[in-house]
Structures are given as C-alpha cells and as structure tokens.
Amino acid sequence: QVQLVESGGGLVQVGGSLRLSCAAAGRTFGTYAMGWFRQAPGKEREFVAAINWSGGRTDYVDSVKGRFTISRDNAKNTVFLQMNSLKPEDTAVYYCAADWTSPWGTSKRANEYEYWGQGTQVTVSS
C-alpha cells in the first residue's frame, strides 16, 4: 500500500506561481513512477505531468509545457509540481498518483496508476 498526501494548493492570481507537494508513505518511494492529474468542475480528470522512478524521465500535457515542472526527492519521499505563469484554465483539483507496475515509465493514463491522493484545490483568479 502507498499513502499519498498533497499540499500546496491555494488561491493565486493570473501569472502567479504555486508549488504542489505530494508526500508518500508505504512502499519504497524510489520504486514507482509518479504523476499529477487535475480535474476541473464538470470536466474529466486529465493528465498533467509524470516522472519515472529515478527522475530521469518526465512528460507533460502540452498545455503546461514550459510553465510546469515535475520533480522528485526520493530521499524525502516527495514529488513536486512547480507551477508558474498560472492561467484561469489551470483551476482544478490536483491529484498525485503512484504507478507501481511501470516505474520506468511516465504514463498519461489514469487507470495505470494504482494509488491516489485526496487532492488539493488550485484556483487561479483573473
């Protein structure tokens, strides 16, 4: 089992920045890939970013490339999502997730992640 707890969400103005954190407990953190997803009201959950077990491979949805950066600190069992130049369309609940079965990859598919956090709200005001 893996327990994931997100933090760092909040209200920010357009163009601002936030840094989300996801603390993991349970299985050895360095043995699974991590992803960030988001869900806005009335919309389906969408992939945002992913990072493999070592941090050597990352992937992003096109809409956040150049603005968001995913990283991980395996010594601290934490994955981060640095979000810069935020836009109103970034408003959503952000979830971190752990992919235990494919740690070398950076899957964009939510159903390939076995464990999920409870989410943290990000609101970007214009």
Side-chain angles (χ1 to χ4, degrees), residues 33-37 47 49-51 70 79 95-99 107 113 116:
M34 297 294 297
W36 285 97
F37 291 77
F47 168 79
I51 188 167
I70 188 170
V79 64
Y95 300 89
C96 70
D99 179 358
S107 176
Y113 289 80
W116 292 81

Side-chain angles (χ1 to χ4, degrees), residues 107-120:
S107 176
K108 298 180 179 180
R109 300 179 180 178
N111 62 6
E112 295 188 0
Y113 289 80
E114 293 84 12
Y115 304 101
W116 292 81
Q118 82 290 347
T120 185

Side-chain angles (χ1 to χ4, degrees), residues 57-90:
R57 179 179 174 181
T58 59
D59 203 357
Y60 300 90
V61 66
D62 286 347
S63 61
V64 308
K65 286 181 180 178
R67 299 189 298 123
F68 290 11
T69 302
I70 188 170
S71 61
R72 66 190 296 159
D73 185 338
N74 287 348
K76 296 182 178 180
N77 294 348
T78 304
V79 64
F80 305 97
L81 186 67
Q82 178 67 45
M83 305 186 296
N84 299 328
S85 303
L86 283 161
K87 305 175 181 180
E89 51 265 42
D90 295 318

Side-chain angles (χ1 to χ4, degrees), residues 17-38:
S17 298
L18 283 174
R19 188 191 196 203
L20 305 184
S21 299
C22 174
R27 287 176 166 168
T28 304
F29 184 66
T31 58
Y32 42 90
M34 297 294 297
W36 285 97
F37 291 77
R38 65 187 180 187

